[in-house]
Amino acid sequence: MILSKLNRRAVLSISAVALAAGMLGATPSIAQDVTIPIIVKDTTSFYWQIVLAGARAAGKDLGVNVPELGAQAETDINGQISILENAVAGSPAAVVIAPTEKSALGAPITEAANSVPIVGIDSSADSTAFTSFLTTDNVQGGRIAADGLAAAIMAATGKEEGEVALITSVPNAGSLEERKQGFIEQLAKYPGLKLVADKYADGQAATGLNITTDLLTANPNLVGIFASNLIMAQGAGQALAENGVADKVSLIGFDSDDKLVGFLTDGTIDALVVQDPYRMGYDGIKTALAASKGEKVEAFVDTGANLITTANMNDERSQALLNPKVD
């Protein structure tokens, strides 16, 4: 429900009418006076800009003030902790947060939840204090990636056999570890596919490019790679393009932006596992507002994951996920 803004004159008029009728009681809570900050991992990443766009739209629709907060890099763990502490100190109605690191954010989130409801999105943390948690089932996302990679290798070589690699953006990020878990579990269902490299990077696309280039040199029989987030998929895709091996090495990425859609269109990337970050942001604010009012909310909400390939990328649902509104 979209709430219209009441100006001072309207409030006084309403109060006067209520008083004349003998019904004036406590001043009603006005949604526009509610502040719910959203804290993302990295305000510069396109993925997180989509999350913020969803939160911004929810704020507009629900009449809630939504400060958009976050560090400049997913590796700035201490920065996010400080942002959380400062946000809670402002006495908001609730806080929505995507924890950068599972263990380090556990205690700060538990502490923050002593003051306000905390709604988690995207990535988990070592805390049981979340009022609600909205995320992709990242284990399932990893499984989808493994199935997609096996299918791509089959299409390219005629068999589900060969050496494959996994590249993870940063260590100990809850969502990324879950994707890794699901990928490795599902890969076991393809006995002809052997995981020969399991690499961590530092959150930079250039590092993903360098790791992929090194993998191609060290593993001349490599037939597939899963790059488990947007930044690593950018770097891995660039490496395949620069080395001219996109027709020999299948690549599955996670999430999307213009660069990855370009790689998908020209065949550098075989498929993308795409989440619904816009929904995470929108429903995160919507859920936090409900929780701040004491309403019952779901403890866990799966916001979904979809495998988008060259074959289905022009479908209506795929286009909605690949081209979300960020204005």
Side-chain angles (χ1 to χ4, degrees):
M1 176 181 178
I2 302 177
L3 301 176
S4 59
K5 185 176 291 186
L6 298 176
N7 60 26
R8 183 180 298 274
R9 179 178 296 178
V11 172
L12 291 174
S13 297
I14 292 171
S15 299
V17 171
L19 181 61
M23 297 184 295
L24 184 63
T27 302
S29 174
I30 301 173
Q32 293 90 328
D33 296 332
V34 174
T35 293
I36 300 176
I38 182 169
I39 305 171
V40 297
K41 296 182 181 183
D42 173 4
T43 57
T44 68
S45 164
F46 184 68
Y47 175 85
W48 295 111
Q49 289 172 15
I50 300 171
V51 173
L52 292 175
R56 193 180 312 128
K60 181 178 179 181
D61 289 351
L62 301 171
V64 174
N65 178 35
V66 181
E68 299 174 12
L69 309 175
Q72 296 296 300
E74 293 194 19
T75 52
D76 188 3
I77 299 167
N78 290 333
Q80 193 186 54
I81 292 172
S82 296
I83 290 168
L84 173 61
E85 291 172 346
N86 290 335
V88 172
S91 300
V95 171
V96 178
I97 185 170
T100 54
E101 205 271 351
K102 187 173 183 179
S103 57
L105 268 292
I109 285 171
T110 299
E111 177 65 24
N114 290 327
S115 302
V116 297
I118 302 294
V119 171
I121 58 171
D122 185 77
S123 296
S124 62
D126 290 335
S127 175
T128 59
F130 290 108
T131 301
S132 182
F133 191 69
L134 298 86
T135 186
T136 303
D137 182 339
N138 282 292
V139 174
Q140 178 62 15
R143 295 188 187 113
I144 291 171
D147 288 339
L149 187 59
I153 293 168
M154 170 64 84
T157 68
K159 53 187 177 181
E160 294 171 343
E161 295 180 6
E163 298 177 351
V164 300
L166 168 64
I167 306 174
T168 303
S169 184
V170 292
N172 205 27
S175 58
L176 302 184
E177 295 299 329
E178 289 166 1
R179 291 172 200 171
K180 174 179 175 177
Q181 174 191 339
F183 178 77
I184 292 174
E185 287 177 354
Q186 194 71 2
L187 197 66
K189 297 185 178 182
Y190 301 95
L193 297 178
K194 180 181 179 183
L195 185 65
V196 296
D198 180 1
K199 301 291 186 179
Y200 283 103
D202 60 0
Q204 303 299 314
T207 306
L209 187 156
N210 293 336
I211 288 174
T212 304
T213 301
D214 291 344
L215 285 172
L216 295 173
T217 301
N219 303 276
N221 296 320
L222 197 69
V223 295
I225 299 172
F226 172 38
S228 69
N229 83 335
L230 185 149
I231 302 300
M232 290 304 103
Q234 287 178 342
Q238 189 66 35
L240 296 191
E242 290 181 359
N243 287 275
V245 295
D247 59 336
K248 298 178 181 178
V249 181
S250 298
L251 173 61
I252 307 298
F254 213 103
D255 298 326
S256 69
D257 65 357
D258 289 345
K259 186 170 186 175
L260 295 191
V261 171
F263 282 149
L264 183 64
T265 302
D266 68 20
T268 301
I269 285 178
D270 293 86
L272 297 170
V273 181
V274 179
Q275 307 178 78
D276 195 344
Y278 190 92
R279 180 186 172 190
M280 281 187 206
Y282 193 102
D283 286 2
I285 297 299
K286 183 178 179 181
T287 300
L289 177 61
S292 73
K293 296 176 179 179
E295 298 174 8
K296 184 178 180 180
V297 297
E298 295 291 330
F300 179 84
V301 178
D302 178 6
T303 53
N306 303 266
L307 187 72
I308 298 181
T309 66
T310 302
N312 69 14
M313 67 180 295
N314 291 317
D315 294 352
E316 183 177 354
R317 175 58 176 162
S318 296
Q319 283 297 305
L321 292 169
L322 291 175
N323 298 292
K325 297 177 181 179
V326 295
D327 297 331

